[in-house]
């Protein structure tokens, strides 16, 4: 899921700013880096949300 949303975001930005479409090869690299950053940010949030829902600390 993060790779797909990153890909859509990068395509939208490259459409909006035409100079980014010139460097198409580098866009794939930025897309991979953005995906890794998104995964690193989203995974703790999902873990906290699931933990607090199924294992409440204060019952």
């Amino acid at each position: 899921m993060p790779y797909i949303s990153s890909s859509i975001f990068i395509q939208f930005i490259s459409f909006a700013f035409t100079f980014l479409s010139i460097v198409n090869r580098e866009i794939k690299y930025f897309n991979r880096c953005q995906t890794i950053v998104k995964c690193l940010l989203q995974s703790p949030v999902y873990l906290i949300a699931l933990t607090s829902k199924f294992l409440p600390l204060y019952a």
Side-chain angles (χ1 to χ4, degrees), residues 6-59:
S6 298
S7 174
I8 292 170
F9 178 74
I10 294 294
Q11 287 176 1
F12 177 73
I13 293 297
S14 66
F15 179 74
F17 301 104
T18 56
F19 66 89
L20 287 176
S21 63
I22 296 171
V23 288
N24 191 18
R25 192 160 129 201
E26 285 82 17
I27 287 177
K28 292 179 182 179
Y29 176 73
F30 291 133
N31 191 12
R32 290 182 186 133
C33 292
Q34 183 184 13
T35 302
I36 292 170
V37 170
K38 267 187 159 181
C39 287
L40 291 175
L41 292 175
Q42 284 180 351
S43 59
V45 174
Y46 287 144
L47 183 64
I48 291 169
L50 287 174
T51 303
S52 65
K53 183 175 182 175
F54 294 114
L55 298 173
L57 296 176
Y58 303 105

